[in-house]
Amino acid sequence: MDSLLSDAAAGELLAAFGREAVKEELRRAIADGSTESSEILSRGRQSLSTRFAPSLRRVINGTGVLLHTNLGRAPLSDAARREIEVVAAGYSSLEYDAPSGERGRRQDHVRDLARDVFGCEDALAVNNNASAVFLALSALARGRRVLISRGELVAIGGSFQVPAILEASGARLAEVGTTNRTTIDDYRRGLTPDVALLLTVHPSNYEIRGFTATAPPAEIAALAREAKIPWLHDQGTGSVVDLAEFGVGGEPTVAGCLAEGATLVTFSGDKLLGGPQAGIVAGAAEAMSRLAEHPVARVVRPDKLTFAALHATLAAWKTGRWRDLPIYRAAAAPLDALERRGESIRSRAAASELEVAVVAALALFGGGTSPEKRFASRALALTHRRLSADALAQRLRLFDPPVAGRVEDDRVLLDLRSIAPEEDAIVESALASISAEA
Ligand SMILES: *Cc1c(COP(=O)(O)O)cnc(C)c1O
């Protein structure tokens, strides 16, 4: 080992990975049967670079889902990345008022912009929307009951279960109505003296159809006012504008929910807002101060990088530059532009064993916007003479960086709407590498 470590080639490894890790990997190479020192060192180098490569990697999103939770939801704007970079590299004014030298408050970095963008009295940022709901329930309903429709006791994306979060907050359920129908009279009948809060949840990823009824917002607002309890609406998506121009109109906006009378509205920062992972509570100042003063607010407070990115994202909304946010750029790309990109990739990538076509496809925002509302897109449809569609999809995922698509009708579809134009060259290289493998 000592003679191995004194080799010039080992010096480089020692500098990059440290003595302990280098020795571990060289021992492993020896145990695996390598005998020549050059071979031991080269195998050691290989396993060290794999072992210490970044675990979180870039992925090319060809799924057609613009807000894909498994792929990190919204890509950040240039401005958000610049603000993160500055704050990450040095000390910052996170809780520091530079002119006075006094302590500042981290929420002040986004509060005024959030008030303007969402049209609310006050706003509070936390780590994600689940935290926002948890904080609101803890502060407003712990030890008491929460009135909620049976139709809204939902699981969103598998890991956000309203009943579980409710229970963890120390609040108790007061379920009313049925899964498909809940009327204002159902809510009224459920209003016992120990009810502290009325909770409604936006049906993010499901739709109940047929014989259904939900209470109109105006009636819910009136009932909550009459009972003198707050109405908390978990809006989820954080949409600021009507998305009719993208073909997905009718999603309620945060400001719309507040205008309809919700006391507090909670939503994510990394869905339709197009920012970093965060949760935001927007609404009435009085209820908000109870949230801000609750110990859970400290437990779920965001870090400086989140505040930096959130500030930049809210500034984009306030100044009308939101169309430059990556998800809206992707959503707005005209079909003929997608088609041109597809044709250009196709003309370069098609090889004897790999067949590439540009086909019509349907993309969606995802991330809690109605799954029913899809918009037109174009995709590369790939088939391979010897590989099944599943095997082909796997080859694409094994590329560096991985290219994620979906398998449909024995073809692999790579939706061009969720792939940025700057990433087309990577898709071309991935296809070329598969053709070359033969
Ligand atoms: C997405 C969503 C959540 C969960 O939000 P996270 O930011 O992932 O914690 C909760 N409620 C609704 C309605 C949602 O759409």
Side-chain angles (χ1 to χ4, degrees):
M1 185 57 70
D2 283 346
S3 80
L4 265 177
L5 290 178
S6 60
D7 192 298
E12 211 185 293
L13 295 182
L14 288 170
F17 302 107
R19 202 170 179 83
E20 200 162 325
V22 171
K23 279 165 79 176
E24 272 169 27
E25 292 303 335
L26 297 184
R27 275 199 205 100
R28 199 163 294 159
I30 294 167
D32 287 347
S34 300
T35 48
E36 292 291 316
S37 60
S38 64
E39 191 194 343
I40 298 171
L41 286 166
S42 102
R43 286 179 68 162
R45 174 192 311 273
Q46 192 105 54
S47 29
L48 283 161
S49 38
T50 311
R51 183 169 156 195
F52 292 106
S55 170
L56 256 174
R57 305 160 68 196
R58 170 185 200 174
V59 171
I60 306 302
N61 177 7
T63 64
V65 182
L66 297 179
L67 296 166
H68 197 301
T69 298
N70 302 152
L71 301 181
R73 292 192 187 156
L76 295 178
S77 64
D78 292 347
R81 283 152 51 200
R82 279 196 303 273
E83 290 197 29
I84 285 180
E85 172 98 45
V86 169
V87 166
Y91 299 103
S92 65
S93 60
L94 180 63
E95 293 186 352
Y96 188 66
D97 179 57
S100 65
E102 308 268 308
R103 175 157 186 204
R105 284 170 305 188
R106 65 179 70 204
Q107 296 288 345
D108 288 352
H109 297 294
V110 297
R111 181 178 281 117
D112 285 347
L113 276 172
R115 278 181 182 142
D116 287 353
V117 170
F118 304 115
C120 55
E121 271 179 28
D122 202 0
L124 187 78
V126 295
N127 278 328
N128 50 37
N129 188 26
S131 315
V133 174
F134 181 73
L135 169 60
L137 293 172
S138 305
L140 303 177
R142 190 181 165 74
R144 300 179 65 198
R145 280 188 194 281
V146 171
L147 203 57
I148 181 169
S149 159
R150 287 201 169 85
E152 294 175 1
L153 285 169
V154 293
I156 290 164
S159 61
F160 180 81
Q161 298 185 346
V162 175
I165 295 209
L166 224 143
E167 192 189 319
S169 74
R172 276 170 303 129
L173 271 175
E175 304 166 52
V176 299
T178 60
T179 308
N180 58 331
R181 291 179 69 84
T182 302
T183 64
I184 196 67
D185 289 331
D186 294 324
Y187 280 109
R188 191 179 296 279
R189 274 193 295 275
L191 253 185
T192 51
D194 61 346
V195 167
L197 179 85
L198 197 160
L199 173 64
T200 53
V201 181
H202 177 54
S204 277
N205 54 355
Y206 68 100
E207 224 163 284
I208 297 172
R209 298 203 208 184
F211 184 59
T212 65
T214 50
E219 293 181 7
I220 292 180
L223 184 67
R225 261 198 314 275
E226 188 187 314
K228 297 192 168 56
I229 57 170
W231 168 22
L232 172 65
H233 180 62
D234 180 19
Q235 189 268 357
T237 65
S239 65
V240 183
V241 291
D242 190 320
L243 300 175
E245 67 182 275
F246 304 108
V248 289
E251 289 286 325
T253 62
V254 171
C257 297
L258 289 166
E260 283 176 337
T263 317
L264 297 176
V265 177
T266 59
F267 49 96
S268 303
D270 51 358
K271 292 182 176 174
L272 290 176
L273 195 63
Q277 179 186 307
I280 298 177
V281 192
E286 195 194 359
M288 198 76 69
S289 66
R290 289 168 64 192
L291 269 58
E293 285 157 20
H294 194 275
V296 167
R298 173 63 182 80
V299 176
V300 297
R301 78 176 187 191
D303 74 320
K304 59 190 176 183
L305 305 183
T306 302
F307 276 108
L310 203 50
H311 175 270
T313 307
L314 290 171
W317 283 104
K318 173 70 182 168
T319 57
R321 284 179 291 106
W322 60 273
R323 282 167 212 279
D324 290 338
L325 297 172
I327 55 164
Y328 292 102
R329 274 207 182 163
L335 282 178
D336 56 0
L338 299 182
E339 203 148 317
R340 269 199 304 278
R341 288 172 47 207
E343 283 303 330
S344 149
I345 296 173
R346 189 193 60 78
S347 68
R348 272 182 277 244
S352 59
E353 299 217 290
L354 183 69
E355 230 172 90
V356 183
V358 180
V359 300
L362 291 171
L364 62 157
F365 273 109
T369 33
S370 170
E372 302 285 307
K373 293 177 189 144
R374 292 167 181 258
F375 46 110
S377 185
R378 292 289 180 268
L380 296 168
L382 313 172
T383 47
H384 194 279
R385 229 179 253 171
R386 284 176 302 104
L387 298 172
S388 68
D390 286 329
L392 183 57
Q394 191 196 29
R395 292 286 172 92
L396 289 164
R397 294 196 307 272
L398 289 174
F399 191 71
D400 185 17
V403 177
R406 61 179 201 273
V407 172
E408 227 176 77
D409 300 330
D410 294 324
R411 302 172 306 178
V412 177
L413 295 188
L414 296 180
D415 198 309
L416 291 154
R417 197 173 282 291
S418 51
I419 298 172
E422 307 83 71
E423 296 171 327
D424 286 355
I426 297 174
V427 174
E428 274 177 33
S429 316
L431 298 183
S433 84
I434 289 170
S435 300
E437 270 169 33

